[in-house]
Amino acid sequence: MDNMEKALVPEGAAKPARNVRKIYEVTPRSRLLLAAALAFCLLLVNALGWPWGAGNTVTVFAWYALLLPAVGREALLRRRESRVLLAYNLLLAVSFSLTSNPFFRLWNFLALALLIPLQAASLPAWDLLPWWRPAMLKDRLELLCRGAFCHLGAAPAALSAGREKKSVSLTVVLGSAAALALVSVLLPILASADALFAAATRGLTEFIQLHFARGLWKFFWALVLTPFLFGLLYALRHTPARAGTHTLCTVDSALFAIILGALDVLYLLFLAVQSAGLFGGPEYLAQRGLSYAEWARSGFFQIVGVTIVNLAALMAALTFSQQEDRTWRVLRGLAATLVGESFILLVSAAWRMTLYVSAYGLSFKRLMTYWGMVMMALFLLAALEKVWRPDRSFCRRAFPLALAGWLVINCIPVDYLIAKNQVDRYLSGESPILSVHYLAYSLSYDTLSQLARLNPELPLTVCEGDWWGSQKTAGSLLESRRQQARTDCAGWRSWTLSACLAAGGG
C-alpha cells in the first residue's frame, strides 16, 4: 500500500484483498455437463447450415435436453411462462422438419433466437420484471450477457473437478483435439512460408485437408463456444436473486389528447372519401379519372401500416399520460374513437384486398396481408380493453395473441392454398396467365402437387439463375424441382416432410 491507501484504511482494520479469485461450485458431475455442452456446440455448428430443415429441430430439442439436467426439472417448469414457451418453442422447432417455405423458415429461426434466450433468463429464481412489461427485454438480456461472459472460469473449474480419477480425463481429450486443430491451421501457413518445408510435408498437408480440415474447423468453433455456453448454464443455476426495478415517466395528458384529436379528424376525412369510393361504384370513380380495378388494388398495405402507427400512438397515450386530471377522460374518448376508425380502416382494406384477389388471385404477400389484418383487429380489441380498463396491461394480451397467431399461420398450408387458387383459375379459364416460376421457385415444395395438374407438355417460360426466358415444359420443371427436393432429403440437416413428399411425387 502507498501512503494514500494507508491513510484511508483505519488502524487495525483488515486490508482489502487483491486479485480475489472467483470460486465456482463444481462437482465431478459438472464434467459430464461440460462434455454435454461441448457435444451441443458440435451439433450447433454442424446443424445450422442452409438449407434449414430437421437439423434445426434436432438442435432445439438437444438444447432442452441439455437445459433440463443443467437447471433441473423444477426450475424449467416452475413458472407458467416457462412452460408455455417450452411448448411453443418445441412446436416451432418441429415446423422446420415439416415445411420448406423460406419465409417461414427465416422468421421461425428469428423467433426461436429471441424466445429461447428469453425463456432461459426466466428460469432461475430472479425477481425480474414480468413478461408483459416491454422493459423486461433489457432486464433479461443483461442477465444473459452477464451469465455468458462473466462465468468463463466455470469451464476450467469443471475440468479440474475430480482429478483423482485415473481414467482418461476430458482435459486430455480436449487438449489433444485443440492441439490437432492448431496444427491443421498452422501447418499450411508454415508450408507457404518455406518451399522446402512445403515439399517435406505435402503428403501430410493433403491428408489433413482431405479428411480433417472442415471437421477440425467445426470442432475448433465448438471449443470456442463451449466456455460461454457452460458459463451461461452455470449462471442459470447459481446466480443469486436480484430485484428488477423500473420507473415509468408520465406527461400531461393534454399532449396526447391533441395528438389523438388530430388523428381522429384526419381519419374521419379519409373515411368520408373512402366511403364515396366504396358506395359510389365504378361510375363515381370514372368521374374522378380512376378505374375500379386501379382503385381496388391500391392502398391496403399502407392502411395496415397506418393501423400499426395508430396502435403505437394509442399505447403511448394510455401508458405515459397522467391519469389524475380532467383531460384524461377526454383522452380516453379520443382513444376509443381512434380504435373505431382503425377498425373501419381495416374493414375497408380487407374489402379492397378481396376485390383485388378476386381479379388477380392469391399470392403469398396477399394471403399474409389477410393474416396481418386479422392480427391487427385482435390487437385493436386488446387496445379497446386498455381504454376501458386502463389498469389492464396491453402487452399481457398482445404477446400471447402474437405467439398464437404466428403458430396458427405456420399450421396453415399457405403455399398449397396459393397454388391451388392460381391453378384453378388458370384451368377454368378465369385467368389466362399462370406464374409458374413464382409458384415453383419462390414458394415451398407444397406447390408441386398442384402444378402436377397441368399438362406435362405445356410449354413454359421460366427464370433460372441469371438467365431469363429459357424454355421448359411443365413436366421438366416439376422434375427439376423434385430433384432439388431429393437433394434436400439426402442430408439430415435439410430434410423436411414437405421435400420428402415432393421427392416422391406426392
Side-chain angles (χ1 to χ4, degrees), residues 100-103 364 415 436-444 447 481:
S100 54
N101 183 288
F103 176 86
F364 185 80
D415 296 338
V436 178
H437 179 267
Y438 168 76
L439 296 176
Y441 289 96
S442 298
L443 302 179
S444 68
T447 62
R481 284 293 283 160

Side-chain angles (χ1 to χ4, degrees), residues 142-385:
E142 177 186 350
L143 291 172
L144 288 174
C145 291
R146 184 184 298 113
F149 293 97
C150 297
H151 295 84
L152 295 179
L159 283 175
S160 64
R163 282 183 176 176
E164 64 278 1
K165 293 187 176 181
K166 297 182 179 180
S167 58
V168 178
S169 173
L170 180 62
T171 306
V172 176
V173 176
L174 293 179
S176 301
L180 184 59
L182 287 174
V183 168
S184 67
V185 172
L186 294 175
L187 186 62
I189 298 176
L190 294 175
S192 64
D194 187 279
L196 183 61
F197 184 79
T201 59
R202 182 176 293 111
L204 178 61
T205 303
E206 292 177 352
F207 179 81
I208 290 177
Q209 291 179 346
L210 181 63
H211 296 89
F212 297 106
R214 180 177 298 180
L216 285 173
W217 268 111
K218 291 181 178 180
F219 190 80
F220 171 76
W221 284 112
L223 284 177
V224 171
L225 293 175
T226 299
F228 296 93
L229 176 63
F230 187 77
L232 176 61
L233 296 175
Y234 179 89
L236 293 179
R237 190 175 184 91
H238 295 90
T239 300
R242 59 183 294 272
T245 60
H246 179 69
T247 57
L248 184 65
C249 298
T250 58
V251 298
D252 192 340
S253 57
L255 172 65
F256 287 107
I258 294 173
I259 297 174
L260 296 188
L263 292 178
D264 286 343
V265 173
L266 175 63
Y267 292 133
L268 188 62
L269 177 62
F270 180 81
L271 290 173
V273 177
Q274 281 271 296
S275 61
L278 286 172
F279 300 108
E283 297 79 9
Y284 175 81
L285 293 172
Q287 295 175 4
R288 299 291 179 178
L290 294 172
S291 67
Y292 198 70
E294 182 182 359
W295 175 79
R297 71 170 179 257
S298 64
F300 30 73
F301 298 116
Q302 293 89 332
I303 290 177
V304 173
V306 163
T307 307
I308 297 175
V309 174
N310 294 348
L311 196 58
L314 278 170
M315 290 305 101
L318 295 173
T319 303
F320 298 106
S321 294
Q322 296 175 358
Q323 303 182 10
E324 292 81 12
D325 53 7
R326 284 182 289 180
T327 314
W328 171 247
R329 292 186 178 181
V330 177
L331 185 143
R332 290 176 63 190
L334 294 172
T337 303
L338 186 58
V339 171
E341 290 175 339
S342 299
F343 268 117
I344 298 175
L345 285 172
L346 283 179
V347 171
S348 170
W351 174 271
R352 294 166 68 177
M353 173 62 80
T354 302
L355 292 176
Y356 189 58
V357 169
S358 64
Y360 298 98
L362 274 176
S363 69
F364 185 80
K365 183 184 292 185
R366 296 162 200 165
L367 197 147
M368 291 302 293
T369 302
Y370 274 123
W371 174 81
M373 292 176 185
V374 173
M375 296 306 301
M376 290 307 304
L378 294 175
F379 293 151
L380 286 172
L381 287 176
L384 190 60
E385 182 191 23

Side-chain angles (χ1 to χ4, degrees), residues 39-193:
F40 175 79
C41 290
L42 282 171
L43 174 64
L44 186 66
V45 297
N46 277 279
L48 297 185
W50 184 265
W52 290 332
N56 299 63
T57 305
V58 173
T59 302
V60 174
F61 275 78
W63 162 253
Y64 284 110
L66 173 66
L67 195 63
L68 182 62
V71 301
R73 181 175 179 273
E74 180 182 356
L76 187 61
L77 303 177
R78 180 190 300 119
R79 298 176 178 175
R80 183 173 63 178
E81 167 196 352
S82 180
R83 296 193 297 270
V84 170
L85 284 179
L86 172 62
Y88 190 87
N89 291 341
L90 292 178
L91 288 174
L92 273 190
V94 170
S95 71
F96 283 98
S97 296
L98 299 179
T99 64
S100 54
N101 183 288
F103 176 86
F104 286 124
R105 283 177 174 179
L106 174 62
W107 285 98
N108 287 344
F109 179 85
L110 295 177
L112 287 172
L114 173 65
L115 295 176
I116 289 178
L118 283 180
Q119 185 203 18
S122 69
L123 295 181
W126 285 321
D127 185 15
L128 296 171
L129 290 173
W131 57 266
W132 61 85
R133 298 280 291 275
M136 62 88 183
L137 290 172
K138 174 181 176 297
D139 209 19
R140 300 188 184 195
L141 179 61
E142 177 186 350
L143 291 172
L144 288 174
C145 291
R146 184 184 298 113
F149 293 97
C150 297
H151 295 84
L152 295 179
L159 283 175
S160 64
R163 282 183 176 176
E164 64 278 1
K165 293 187 176 181
K166 297 182 179 180
S167 58
V168 178
S169 173
L170 180 62
T171 306
V172 176
V173 176
L174 293 179
S176 301
L180 184 59
L182 287 174
V183 168
S184 67
V185 172
L186 294 175
L187 186 62
I189 298 176
L190 294 175
S192 64

